[in-house]
């Protein structure tokens, strides 16, 4: 009987990239509050927020 094979991607090959971000304490507190209320991790919630709003940003041409 063949063994089950588990395929694991190398770290960093999942389409995500680790970054560092500075933000105001008040913004972080809001994210933490939403995280607790939604039962999602801070990281997951930040990704959801960014994915759903990044296309709505418009740059003013001065």
């Amino acid at each position: 009987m063949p063994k089950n094979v588990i395929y694991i991607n190398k770290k960093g090959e999942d389409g995500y990239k680790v970054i560092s971000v500075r933000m105001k304490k008040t913004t972080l507190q809001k994210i933490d509050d939403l995280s607790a209320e939604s039962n999602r991790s801070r990281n997951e919630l930040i990704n959801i927020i960014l994915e759903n709003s990044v296309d709505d940003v418009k740059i003013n041409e001065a």
Side-chain angles (χ1 to χ4, degrees):
M1 176 180 249
K3 291 184 177 181
N4 289 336
V5 177
I6 299 173
Y7 293 96
I8 300 173
N9 290 333
K10 290 184 179 180
K11 189 173 183 177
E13 294 184 9
D14 60 357
Y16 288 87
K17 182 169 177 94
V18 177
I19 63 166
S20 176
V21 177
R22 290 181 62 212
M23 67 177 65
K24 293 180 181 180
K25 289 180 182 179
T26 55
T27 302
L28 183 57
Q29 186 59 56
K30 290 176 186 178
I31 290 170
D32 286 342
D33 291 345
L34 288 170
S35 176
E37 185 179 342
S38 65
N39 199 29
R40 294 181 182 269
S41 71
R42 179 192 288 168
N43 182 72
E44 184 178 9
L45 189 61
I46 290 170
N47 272 290
I48 290 169
I49 292 167
L50 288 173
E51 287 174 11
N52 285 287
S53 61
V54 70
D55 291 333
D56 294 333
V57 175
K58 304 294 180 209
I59 306 299
N60 286 328
E61 306 261 345

